Amino acid sequence: MFLVITYSRAARRTLRNVSRAHEDDVVRRFGRAALFEATGFGAFQALRLREKHGLDVQIERVTPFAESDLPDPVCRAAREYEDRDSAATPYRQFAAGTDLPGPEELRRRDV
């Protein structure tokens, strides 16, 4: 997919118009940004916006998130933390004394 982010009022207006005119090629709209299908036409629309608005349009190629791409300890930590007894318990405290990775370990881990 192509993530198109706009940084000016004129670019946002054009993005809104393009998104409305080509709804089948837009995966999702976020106001200042939109996700276009990873097709030639989606790329065409993204590039067209940048040609018109220059640096007021940023284009990024993105891939859908898949939990299976992540290390198991990260997924397990998220599952167990969201299943905790007290919603007020911070993760650092929750993970202390367990085999779950601590917050600093999670920050250092590239995924």
Side-chain angles (χ1 to χ4, degrees), residues 33-105:
L35 279 172
F36 285 87
E37 290 284 351
T39 63
F41 196 70
F44 165 78
Q45 295 298 341
L47 291 171
R48 179 179 155 221
L49 285 160
R50 185 161 53 197
E51 285 296 318
K52 183 172 184 173
H53 297 285
L55 295 177
D56 285 342
V57 174
Q58 176 183 346
I59 303 169
E60 298 289 334
R61 176 172 264 178
V62 296
T63 57
F65 176 79
E67 188 175 321
S68 60
D69 294 340
L70 297 175
D72 184 58
V74 174
C75 298
R76 191 169 60 86
R79 275 192 307 273
E80 290 185 23
Y81 183 60
E82 284 307 310
D83 193 36
R84 66 193 183 279
D85 293 331
S86 172
T89 305
Y91 181 73
R92 178 183 306 284
Q93 183 179 345
F94 178 80
T98 69
D99 64 341
L100 294 173
E104 292 306 316
E105 182 182 342

Side-chain angles (χ1 to χ4, degrees), residues 2 9-11 14 23 25 27-29 37 44 50 58 63 75 85 87 96 104 108:
F2 299 102
R9 187 169 292 188
T14 304
E23 288 181 356
D25 300 293
V27 176
R28 181 119 191 224
R29 285 185 46 206
E37 290 284 351
F44 165 78
R50 185 161 53 197
Q58 176 183 346
T63 57
C75 298
D85 293 331
E104 292 306 316
R108 288 190 306 268

